[in-house]
Amino acid sequence: MSRFEGKVAIVTGAAQGIGAAIARRLANEGAKVGVVDLTADRAQGTVDQIVKDGGEAFAVGADVSKTADVQAAVAAVVEEFGRIDILVNNAGITRDNLLFKMSDEDWDSVIAVNLRSAFLMSRECQKHFVAQKYGKIVSLSSRSALGNRGQANYSASKAGIMGLTSTLAIELGPFGVNVNAVAPGYIATDMTDATARRVGFEPEKFREAAAQMTPVRRVGTPEDIAAAVAFLAADESSFISGQTIQVNGGADR
Ligand code: NAP
């Protein structure tokens, strides 16, 4: 029996990278997945892969920092699959700059996409979770929550995810809802490739340097994060709540 047979999941920012890997992993283990990204066209690529692998998925276009989009996205998934059991708050952006160069827009957009979205999605999904006395919320924090040069906005948003997670675990635990977060270290995706280019490195060289600073001597893959998210979304971890699990190959910075 697959771990997520009969379950319905929503994964945000799932057109590529970590979100796409999470959506595929949950679908491979039996979940029906609402694949959310900025446009349904972008999300459709992940849906096509899931369907090719024999799974079930549905593409939804939504800017998850916007209340009306979030309400419509959750309603569309419930309409399509009849319920919602698992929410993965994965959508995220970077707008890196040192403090003296960081604009209001750099700050506001990162807080909105990385943190406000998790609040909005969690608030919308909890209606279903509380009514059915079952739900799982897993959000993406980051090792950068502990501080990272040039990322005051991103770091604050990812530390915010930790606070949101521990608070929602207290509020929703009595209703059968587990709330946890995963804090990845360096994962090879478009996001980290863009960071490499911004600081003047070829992505390949940047990854090699990151691997050398990581005790397990490699950078992470989206599948490494998907495995941790799947564990926290599954019933075997139902006594774990309010936690942020570091998935970073043992890296301390
Ligand atoms: P990514 O490759 O940039 O993918 C992020 C996805 O989110 C993209 O498909 C993006 O769409 C989508 N997105 C952006 N804004 C959105 C919005 N307002 N509404 C809906 N979707 C939106 O990033 P990733 O590396 O896979 O990262 C996934 C998550 O893990 C993020 O929360 C990130 O902060 C976190 N994380 C990543 C790393 C890492 O090393 N990669 C480390 C720690 C934490 P567009 O491409 O169209 O903008």
Side-chain angles (χ1 to χ4, degrees):
M1 172 93 171
S2 303
R3 280 194 293 185
F4 304 116
E5 208 66 60
K7 298 287 195 290
V8 175
I10 297 186
V11 185
T12 69
Q16 64 180 42
I18 293 170
I22 294 167
R24 286 200 309 269
R25 174 77 190 236
L26 297 179
N28 281 343
E29 294 197 51
K32 295 176 186 169
V33 182
V35 176
V36 179
D37 211 281
L38 278 166
T39 67
D41 272 1
R42 291 263 296 127
Q44 190 60 42
T46 302
V47 170
D48 291 346
Q49 283 179 339
I50 288 172
V51 170
K52 197 166 134 247
D53 293 343
E56 260 189 88
F58 170 62
V60 186
D63 177 343
V64 290
S65 67
K66 301 215 162 88
T67 306
D69 280 24
V70 163
Q71 289 169 340
V74 173
V77 173
V78 172
E79 165 89 18
E80 180 73 12
F81 291 136
R83 55 184 293 123
I84 166 81
D85 304 284
I86 299 163
L87 164 65
V88 182
N89 290 310
N90 168 81
I93 59 170
T94 54
R95 296 286 182 271
D96 296 354
N97 247 325
L98 293 175
L99 179 62
F100 74 101
K101 289 193 282 190
M102 188 171 283
S103 67
D104 291 8
E105 209 282 324
D106 290 335
W107 177 269
D108 290 343
S109 59
V110 168
I111 298 296
V113 176
N114 297 8
L115 182 57
R116 179 181 155 85
S117 67
F119 153 65
L120 294 176
M121 288 293 302
S122 301
R123 189 178 61 181
E124 201 57 28
C125 288
Q126 61 81 31
K127 295 175 192 165
H128 301 276
F129 295 164
V130 169
Q132 70 200 13
K133 294 252 183 321
Y134 183 93
K136 307 281 183 186
I137 300 175
V138 186
S139 302
L140 271 288
S141 178
S142 171
R143 191 260 152 240
S144 296
L146 306 177
N148 202 22
R149 188 179 156 83
Q151 290 198 314
N153 50 1
Y154 185 81
S155 169
S157 73
K158 295 302 185 179
I161 288 288
M162 293 180 174
L164 180 70
T165 296
S166 43
T167 298
L168 296 190
I170 293 166
E171 293 187 15
L172 298 176
F175 302 97
V177 183
N178 293 77
V179 189
N180 290 292
V182 172
Y186 191 110
I187 310 300
T189 68
D190 283 1
M191 182 180 274
T192 40
D193 286 357
T195 303
R197 291 191 195 94
R198 185 179 55 78
V199 296
F201 284 91
E202 278 303 308
E204 198 53 41
K205 294 272 172 252
F206 204 61
R207 287 178 194 180
E208 280 167 23
Q212 281 317 305
M213 288 192 295
T214 305
V216 301
R217 293 291 185 269
R218 68 173 178 88
V219 297
T221 64
E223 289 71 26
D224 289 323
I225 303 307
V229 170
F231 169 65
L232 292 172
D235 288 334
E236 66 197 290
S237 64
S238 62
F239 202 55
I240 301 175
S241 202
Q243 304 305 305
T244 297
I245 297 184
Q246 306 284 330
V247 181
N248 60 19
D252 59 2
R253 66 199 161 98

